[in-house]
Amino acid sequence: MARYILFRLLQAIPVLLGTTFLIYFMVFAMPGDPLLALFGDKTPNPALLEQLREQYHLNEPFFVQYLYYLGGIFRFDFGVSYSGQPVTEILAQTFPVTIRLAILALLFEMIAGILIGLVSGIRKGGIFDASALVVSLILISLPIFVTAFLGQYFLGIALGWFRPTVGAGAPIQDLILPALVLASISFAQIVRLTRSSVIETKNLDFVRTAYSKGLSSKRIVPVHILRNSLIPVVTYLGTDFGVLLVGATVTEGIFNVPGVGRTLYQAILKGEGPTVVSFVTVMVLIYLVVNLLVDLLYAVLDPRIRYAK
Amino acid sequence: MRINRIGLTAVALVAAGALTLTGCSGGGTTDSKPSANASAIITTNGSEPQNPLIPTNTNEVGGGKILDAIFAGLVYYDADGKPVNDMAESIDTDDSQTFTIKLKEGNTFTNGEDVTAQNFVDAWNYGAALDNKQLSSYFFEDIEGFSYDENVATLSGLKVVDDTTFTVTLKQPTADFPLRLGYSAFYPLPKAAFEDIDAFGQNPIGNGPYKLDGEGAWKHDESIALVKNDDYKGGREVKNGGLTITFYAQQDAAYSDLIAGNLDILDAIPDSAFGSYESDLGDRAVNQAAAIFQSFAIPERLEHFSGEEGKLRRQAISMAINRDEITKVIFQDTRTPAKDFTSPVIDGFSEDIKGNEVLTFDAKKAKELWDQADAISPWTGTFQIAYNADGGHQGWVDAVSNQLKNTLKIDASGAPSPTFAEVRTAITDRTIKTAFRTGWQADYPGLFNFLGPLYATNAGSNDGDYSNPEFDALLKKGQGETSEEAANKDFQDAQAILMEDLPVIPLWYANVNGGYGEDVDNVKFGWNSVPLYYDVTKG
């Protein structure tokens, strides 16, 4: 087990190097000079421009720039944004917000999704099942920004139940609405996934055996059906948590959440290479770790899966 | 120039009703509301400053809005854009070249330092020196000793006479120099700033009507909290307890907050709400002209656009554009058709510049002029206007192209580039092969600012490489005048030349549209589209 984990972590190193290189290259290859954009429609003096290029090493060839950046990383120096804030500080400030938002969204979609999917699957063909299917279909079809604007307008402005945007410090109560919106699509997927998995499992031999042994539904449904139906759901939840953690640009923008997605988007617009690359690097890292955790979780849910060799 | 990042990328700034400078913005009377609370904090929208909060290194509205609140320069601009003495007691000159500036006594920075002549001179020297790489260094280029080629630590044109007096000597007479002094680049810096300028940029110490609410009041990408500075004795009397500026990535989010009552003042309505904001907000909607001029340039170097032929073609194109229709249909009346090369909010603006009928739609005349040009050399190819696709420009570019197609019977289309940076790069290194979108937001409320930097021979932002000695001479004459009226008259005459040559095709003036909540009163927007926060009262 430990060897497996170690192997997976070692694997992460080339992946990380590769991604920083690719992202750095892409930022570098973006057409146009980010420094010129800093001046808007005004044309800066060439001498001043030259000085600024030197400051950000933008006058160096691509590989030299990349090495400067890599060299910084090994000293835990991720560079400084144009507004003078160290990128490490930006990371430390935005990730907690996004993590709070991701956990909230995950809780919503997990609890509601699995419960509704389970009931739907057990009572396949009933009214509850039919309405759950219709509602989830609607949620899946709606683009996230539509859900977000509708939620913001009706729950935030018309009814006034929530603040329409996230206030200073991103307190939990302000994050509920964006988390609900973020959770909406995955929630619908989980309902459908759980439902079909439950339907499949409940027709398996071991469930019939359990019933014929005289066990009550109260025991069979959670222990025998649910647990065995959860493997695809866990895979989905795991990857989804990874997706949530790396930020939701659209949702964070609409609700003005000072999180990872919104900050990254702004950095891309400004052409702030160090910020963009650092964010993406951390995102890749998180994604790798979450995937590893999901793989390990399989073994817990299904003892037939073993990683030790 | 102050750059509005969101304006560039989302075309947010802009509204209707031009010329209603004060008409729509007056907050009405306070007596209908409970008495104002002098300690109430006003909340407003903003955007994360792109640079550290150093006055000479801030050239965009996100940071400019904060600096204007926490610093006080020699003068400030009132609601009509008139300069009023702030730290200055007097600014005198006999020849528009040497200025003697006297400061009021007893003003202090929030760390207790006195505001002296040395603070101004040090700050300006810092801003001008090449090694300091300040984005607004060009503001000092007229001062004697300034150089772009080598580092000049102290400008020879700045001399401290005593604690409250200093003199400024310029390279040539510049009549509107005193008018520029309200811009943030000219703010003073305390001695503490130079000990650690990086730290200062994160927690600036100012001398303005507001100050940062303690260390770390600037929460990056989130907000900045300002409180009233009780030691400020300048002209901008603060009628509230403070100002919290929340940074929004999207104007829609800010608008939602305004509607829900979480935001007091919004200075940019998102385009998605253009159709509804006036009915949503009623008399709390703000609609007024801004100091923003929009146009597109057709450089001389393009085929068919040089000499007499080019002149005829430019005039034909200008007259083939129906500005009224585009501002109505595409912009829902949130822009005002241009009548000159400046802006109606600027002192000295005139609707009657000689030759400005070239800005009025006249299909027949346009076609005639085009045919005359064809007689010199027949037209070939497609007329294209380059623009950045991330700025919401496609609508009007397509509309203009269609009008050109229909009126002049030529092929015309837009030429989009994905990003603002890309199109600016092509313009700056002169590789662009088409006409291109241009725009100008004034640094200070003067006619010259819309003309000199853009159309004078070899001027910094003369992206079309326009050059006309007569025009240059009139600008120079204007700057040599000692009376403002005489100077403005020269600048209007200079514009008459532009009307013939059309170095850029004027399109329209952007308006500022904003709104405010029920709790606040006396909301006025300044000439630069930023609300005069100090004057706002909250019940």
Side-chain angles (χ1 to χ4, degrees):
Chain A
M1 186 79 166
R3 255 187 73 179
Y4 175 78
I5 297 175
L6 189 70
F7 179 67
R8 287 282 299 259
L9 287 178
L10 284 178
Q11 257 186 344
I13 294 174
V15 174
L16 269 179
L17 275 178
T19 30
T20 55
F21 181 80
L22 274 181
I23 299 292
Y24 208 92
F25 177 72
M26 282 192 264
V27 175
F28 180 84
M30 264 185 1
D33 185 339
L35 290 179
L36 276 177
L38 273 184
F39 291 87
D41 285 327
K42 167 113 198 161
T43 309
N45 182 277
L48 174 65
L49 208 56
E50 202 43 49
Q51 290 267 337
L52 284 169
R53 284 219 175 90
E54 259 171 49
Q55 178 180 345
Y56 295 107
H57 304 300
L58 290 177
N59 52 351
E60 309 277 5
F62 167 67
F63 274 101
V64 180
Q65 285 190 40
Y66 179 65
L67 288 179
Y68 268 115
Y69 178 76
L70 266 192
I73 286 189
F74 286 117
R75 283 176 276 121
F76 285 99
D77 170 12
F78 287 83
V80 175
S81 72
Y82 288 148
S83 66
Q85 195 189 18
V87 175
T88 37
E89 212 180 290
I90 308 180
L91 288 167
Q93 177 191 314
T94 51
F95 267 100
V97 175
T98 295
I99 288 172
R100 280 208 294 274
L101 185 65
I103 291 177
L104 263 184
L106 194 76
L107 283 178
F108 286 142
E109 65 187 51
M110 193 166 74
I111 295 172
I114 293 179
L115 269 181
I116 294 176
L118 180 65
V119 176
S120 269
I122 302 280
R123 303 197 183 147
K124 184 186 162 207
I127 289 181
F128 184 89
D129 183 31
S131 15
L133 283 179
V134 170
V135 170
S136 60
L137 183 69
I138 293 173
L139 286 178
I140 291 175
S141 333
L142 280 181
I144 191 92
F145 66 89
V146 174
T147 323
F149 277 125
L150 289 176
Q152 187 180 48
Y153 184 75
F154 286 106
L155 301 180
I157 296 174
L159 293 171
W161 291 354
F162 300 97
R163 245 188 88 115
T165 67
V166 172
I172 293 286
Q173 67 267 28
D174 287 1
L175 290 175
I176 293 176
L177 182 57
L180 281 174
V181 168
L182 260 186
S184 65
I185 287 183
S186 301
F187 157 76
Q189 300 278 15
I190 288 167
V191 168
R192 293 180 157 236
L193 212 54
T194 313
R195 176 182 175 274
S196 57
S197 188
V198 163
I199 290 170
E200 202 180 306
T201 317
K202 81 175 180 187
N203 293 327
L204 289 179
D205 289 344
F206 73 88
V207 177
R208 278 214 302 278
T209 314
Y211 273 114
S212 52
K213 259 166 57 182
L215 287 180
S216 70
S217 283
K218 265 185 194 155
R219 179 155 176 83
I220 295 173
V221 171
V223 177
H224 295 277
I225 300 184
L226 186 59
R227 186 172 163 180
N228 285 293
S229 312
L230 277 187
I231 290 188
V233 181
V234 167
T235 319
Y236 185 84
L237 279 175
T239 41
D240 197 49
F241 189 53
V243 171
L244 288 173
L245 274 184
V246 299
T249 310
V250 174
T251 314
E252 289 190 2
I254 290 171
F255 292 101
N256 209 38
V257 183
V260 174
R262 199 191 77 162
T263 310
L264 180 65
Y265 177 67
Q266 300 266 307
I268 293 174
L269 283 186
K270 284 189 240 171
E272 266 181 13
T275 315
V276 176
V277 183
S278 307
F279 267 71
V280 174
T281 310
V282 175
M283 287 173 175
V284 171
L285 199 64
I286 287 178
Y287 213 80
L288 289 173
V289 170
V290 169
N291 266 317
L292 175 60
L293 288 180
V294 171
D295 287 349
L296 295 179
L297 207 58
Y298 286 156
V300 178
L301 282 173
D302 187 346
R304 283 169 302 183
I305 301 172
R306 283 282 176 273
Y307 292 114
K309 276 219 179 85
Chain B
M1 79 165 255
R2 282 251 169 97
I3 301 146
N4 189 314
R5 167 66 53 177
I6 293 177
L8 295 172
T9 56
V11 91
L13 274 180
V14 187
L19 301 181
T20 50
L21 185 54
T22 48
C24 302
S25 63
T29 51
T30 40
D31 51 16
S32 61
K33 309 220 166 157
S35 61
N37 176 357
S39 62
I41 304 286
I42 310 289
T43 56
T44 189
N45 69 304
S47 50
E48 165 79 1
Q50 284 176 39
N51 306 290
L53 288 172
I54 298 165
T56 47
N57 205 26
T58 292
N59 66 343
E60 42 81 46
V61 291
K65 189 186 268 188
I66 299 166
L67 289 173
D68 288 345
I70 61 175
F71 281 94
L74 295 167
V75 301
Y76 69 90
Y77 304 115
D78 68 8
D80 300 327
K82 283 253 181 283
V84 181
N85 283 347
D86 207 349
M87 293 291 113
E89 177 76 48
S90 64
I91 302 169
D92 297 315
T93 182
D94 297 326
D95 55 1
S96 292
Q97 186 163 9
T98 308
F99 296 84
T100 305
I101 296 167
K102 279 196 168 25
L103 302 179
K104 288 175 192 154
E105 285 184 41
N107 285 304
T108 54
F109 289 98
T110 53
N111 65 350
E113 280 184 45
D114 284 335
V115 179
T116 65
Q118 193 67 46
N119 294 115
F120 279 95
V121 170
D122 287 348
W124 297 8
N125 277 328
Y126 178 84
L130 183 62
D131 281 359
N132 295 331
K133 295 167 282 203
Q134 299 294 290
L135 298 179
S136 296
S137 62
Y138 66 94
F139 271 91
F140 307 101
E141 65 188 7
D142 290 328
I143 299 176
E144 206 178 77
F146 182 90
S147 169
Y148 281 120
D149 304 317
E150 51 174 340
N151 188 48
V152 178
T154 48
L155 296 170
S156 57
L158 297 178
K159 288 214 170 56
V160 175
V161 177
D162 58 43
D163 263 3
T164 56
T165 315
F166 67 107
T167 61
V168 183
T169 310
L170 304 179
K171 290 174 175 167
Q172 67 278 323
T174 308
D176 70 354
F177 185 72
L179 193 56
R180 303 176 184 182
L181 296 174
Y183 187 71
S184 50
F186 292 104
Y187 290 157
L189 287 176
K191 291 210 162 40
F194 301 105
E195 284 158 21
D196 184 351
I197 195 83
D198 291 335
F200 183 84
Q202 301 300 311
N203 287 292
I205 298 159
N207 60 333
Y210 293 96
K211 60 183 175 183
L212 264 64
D213 188 11
E215 189 94 347
W218 179 9
K219 293 199 185 68
H220 285 271
D221 286 309
E222 196 177 306
S223 64
I224 187 163
L226 309 177
V227 290
K228 183 180 174 183
N229 172 15
D230 290 320
D231 296 331
Y232 169 75
K233 300 194 195 74
R236 291 176 283 168
E237 191 202 336
V238 181
K239 297 185 179 138
N240 47 60
L243 179 65
T244 295
I245 302 174
T246 304
F247 306 143
Y248 290 93
Q250 296 179 0
Q251 303 293 15
D252 291 278
Y255 187 70
S256 298
D257 264 352
L258 177 71
I259 298 295
N262 285 325
L263 190 73
D264 292 328
I265 305 173
L266 177 68
D267 65 5
I269 301 287
D271 2 3
S272 60
F274 274 173
S276 65
Y277 83 101
E278 284 180 310
S279 56
D280 284 350
L281 296 170
D283 61 358
R284 292 179 286 113
V286 174
N287 242 340
Q288 67 181 54
I292 301 172
F293 169 80
Q294 296 178 324
S295 55
F296 65 91
I298 313 175
E300 282 271 327
R301 58 182 179 272
L302 298 188
E303 201 188 346
H304 293 299
F305 282 101
S306 56
E308 186 59 26
E309 183 197 356
K311 209 168 179 174
L312 288 167
R313 292 204 193 279
R314 283 192 189 82
Q315 288 173 358
I317 286 171
S318 181
M319 295 184 97
I321 299 169
N322 189 342
R323 295 168 179 76
D324 292 324
E325 189 177 272
I326 295 179
T327 51
K328 259 193 204 78
V329 178
I330 308 275
F331 294 117
Q332 295 163 54
D333 269 335
T334 57
R335 285 174 202 206
T336 312
K339 294 274 179 253
D340 77 336
F341 288 81
T342 66
S343 154
V345 301
I346 302 299
D347 191 41
F349 166 81
S350 165
E351 278 207 355
D352 308 311
I353 303 286
K354 190 169 153 268
N356 77 352
E357 60 276 0
V358 75
L359 306 182
T360 310
F361 177 60
D362 185 341
K364 206 167 136 254
K365 189 81 195 298
K367 186 72 178 111
E368 270 172 36
L369 289 165
W370 192 261
D371 290 342
Q372 281 174 36
D374 275 348
I376 299 174
S377 161
W379 170 255
T380 49
T382 303
F383 181 76
Q384 287 195 304
I385 302 174
Y387 63 96
N388 48 310
D390 60 357
H393 297 293
Q394 191 191 355
W396 72 259
V397 173
D398 286 351
V400 167
S401 304
N402 282 332
Q403 291 182 346
L404 295 181
K405 263 189 228 167
N406 295 337
T407 315
L408 304 176
K409 314 289 177 216
I410 55 167
D411 247 358
S413 70
S417 294
T419 62
F420 181 66
E422 192 175 347
V423 79
R424 278 311 303 174
T425 306
I427 291 170
T428 308
D429 60 22
R430 305 291 191 254
T431 52
I432 200 153
K433 294 282 184 292
T434 61
F436 51 87
R437 180 198 75 77
T438 50
W440 188 258
Q441 180 166 11
D443 299 318
Y444 58 91
L447 291 182
F448 179 82
N449 188 235
F450 282 94
L451 305 174
L454 290 161
Y455 316 117
T457 304
N458 292 328
S461 292
N462 188 345
D463 294 324
D465 293 322
Y466 174 72
S467 174
N468 184 330
E470 278 177 69
F471 174 79
D472 292 349
L474 275 169
L475 285 190
K476 199 165 170 214
K477 179 161 175 271
Q479 287 293 31
E481 307 276 6
T482 44
S483 95
E484 216 172 297
E485 289 86 66
N488 283 342
K489 175 76 180 40
D490 293 333
F491 297 145
Q492 286 167 6
D493 291 347
Q495 285 194 68
I497 296 175
L498 297 185
M499 287 295 174
E500 267 185 45
D501 293 348
L502 293 172
V504 302
I505 310 292
L507 293 169
W508 34 73
Y509 315 115
N511 289 15
V512 55
N513 50 359
Y516 51 94
E518 283 165 357
D519 296 341
V520 290
D521 234 320
N522 206 27
V523 180
K524 288 194 286 286
F525 279 59
W527 73 277
N528 60 353
S529 316
V530 177
L532 306 178
Y533 294 116
Y534 57 89
D535 231 7
V536 175
T537 55
K538 189 169 178 179

